């Protein structure tokens, strides 16, 4: 499992003291208040200490970083994708998984037959959808639910795909 998870992207400055408006990528907005530091995906060694956090309008999160004290400093972060260490987030023990847990992993069914590799994940209403590229190059969509995602074994995930009757 990855040590860091993408949690949002910087949208624009917020106010005149260097705060940054962030589009949150996690479902639970309360998690953002527990995050003490984030890193830039583009420059993983670049660390930002979160000095303050609050809910912004239209679902945004507002972070104030130590050392960024002007709107210009905040503007320079526009488009930055922020990564947070998993220690600040829920984990597999709580039933919380992230794209980084699936990215590039091989997917097999319960009988051990290969289904493909995970190439993407996106939100779709009530739950996320995992995009699997089959060995034949097709895309297979699987809901990220407990009924489908059974368990991880090493670098592979065991899925139980839902079967649909073709009778109309």
């Amino acid at each position: 499992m990855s040590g860091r998870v993408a949690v949002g992207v910087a949208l624009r400055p917020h106010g005149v003291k260097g705060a940054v408006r962030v589009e949150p990528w996690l479902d639970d907005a309360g998690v953002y208040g527990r995050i003490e530091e984030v890193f830039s995906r583009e420059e993983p060694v670049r660390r930002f200490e979160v000095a303050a956090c609050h809910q912004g309008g239209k679902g945004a999160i507002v972070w104030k970083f130590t050392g960024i004290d002007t709107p210009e400093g905040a503007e320079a972060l526009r488009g930055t994708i922020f990564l947070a260490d998993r220690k600040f987030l829920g984990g597999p023990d709580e039933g919380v998984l992230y794209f980084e847990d699936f990215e590039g992993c091989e997917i097999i069914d319960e009988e051990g037959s290969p289904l493909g590799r995970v190439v993407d994940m996106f939100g779709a209403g009530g739950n996320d959808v995992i995009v699997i590229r089959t060995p034949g190059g097709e895309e297979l969509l699987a809901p990220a639910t407990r009924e489908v995602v059974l368990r991880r074994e090493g670098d592979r995930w065991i899925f139980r795909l839902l079967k649909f009757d073709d009778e109309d």
Side-chain angles (χ1 to χ4, degrees), residues 11-121:
L11 298 173
R12 65 178 186 271
H14 181 85
V16 296
K17 296 184 179 180
V20 179
R21 189 176 192 79
V22 176
E23 176 186 332
W25 289 357
L26 303 178
D27 293 334
D28 181 4
V31 168
Y32 289 89
R34 295 194 308 258
I35 298 173
E36 297 173 7
E37 63 184 8
V38 292
F39 298 83
S40 165
R41 182 168 76 180
E42 296 78 14
E43 299 175 65
V45 296
R46 189 165 182 205
R47 177 183 171 273
F48 301 92
E49 181 182 347
V50 178
C53 174
H54 69 270
Q55 185 80 36
K58 298 183 182 175
I61 300 297
V62 177
W63 271 330
K64 173 67 178 87
F65 297 122
T66 302
I68 298 178
D69 299 316
T70 66
E72 294 79 17
E75 177 63 37
L77 297 176
R78 186 186 293 257
T80 299
I81 295 173
F82 295 115
L83 307 175
D85 287 333
R86 288 191 77 117
K87 67 183 178 183
F88 299 118
L89 312 172
D93 294 339
E94 297 90 12
V96 180
L97 297 169
Y98 304 95
F99 174 66
E100 288 81 359
D101 297 325
F102 295 100
E103 185 176 23
C105 287
E106 180 184 1
I107 306 299
I108 61 173
D109 66 17
E110 292 175 283
E111 288 78 39
S113 299
L115 298 173
R117 290 201 173 275
V118 175
V119 295
D120 199 5
M121 185 179 226

